[in-house]
Every structure is written in C-alpha cells, then in structure tokens.
Amino acid sequence: MLVLSRRPQQSLLIGHDVVVTVLEVNGDTVRIGIKAPADVDIHREEIYRDLQKANQEASTAQPGAAAALAQRMSAKGSAAEGGTTSEAH
C-alpha cells in the first residue's frame, strides 16, 4: 500500500486521468473529491463489496428466484400498508 501525506487542497494523480483532492480535514474525518472520466466506476469500498456479493448471489440463484422474491416483497408491502391482496376470479 502506498501511503501519502496531503494537506487540504492538495491532490494526487492515479494514472493520467483520475485526480483525488483532499478538500477538508476535520478531526478524524477527511473529505476528498475525485475527478475521473465518466466510464470509471467509483464506489465506497463497503458498497462495492455489497454489490459484488449481490451479483454473486444473483448469478447462483435458482430459476424463478427473482419472481419469488418480488412476490414476497409485494406481499410484505401490502401487509405493511395494512391492506390485503386479493385476486379476481
């Protein structure tokens, strides 16, 4: 891991087209700005890990699992609203 020290308004470059700038340091919180091309995905690490996990689970899901999940979510939404679901015959 490369460790650098930067002060507010100082930047570092990643490759030729990604610029990371320290905007503010307030106690143990550091605000950074990232300038990158639109085709570069930028995620917080925990969000990226969650996306990877969800994608992996989706790729190993059984056929029809998405429809079953949608049906369960719809039923929960109706119950949370205090309504009931009924089908016309």
Side-chain angles (χ1 to χ4, degrees), residues 3-83:
V3 178
L4 300 172
S5 297
R6 301 276 69 198
R7 288 190 161 80
Q9 307 314 313
Q10 292 183 331
S11 301
L12 59 100
L13 289 148
I14 300 174
H16 298 287
D17 52 4
V18 177
V19 180
V20 179
T21 303
V22 176
L23 301 175
E24 178 183 9
V25 178
N26 188 2
D28 62 350
T29 302
V30 178
R31 290 184 62 225
I32 60 172
I34 303 169
K35 185 191 291 187
D39 64 331
V40 174
D41 291 333
I42 301 172
H43 301 284
R44 294 187 322 224
E45 182 179 13
E46 63 275 14
I47 300 298
Y48 180 76
R49 300 278 179 232
D50 288 346
L51 287 170
Q52 283 183 320
K53 182 179 176 184
N55 286 339
Q56 184 171 0
E57 288 173 357
S59 70
T60 60
Q62 298 297 321
L69 175 60
Q71 187 175 21
R72 286 196 310 266
M73 290 175 67
S74 176
K76 283 183 182 179
S78 296
E81 294 172 3

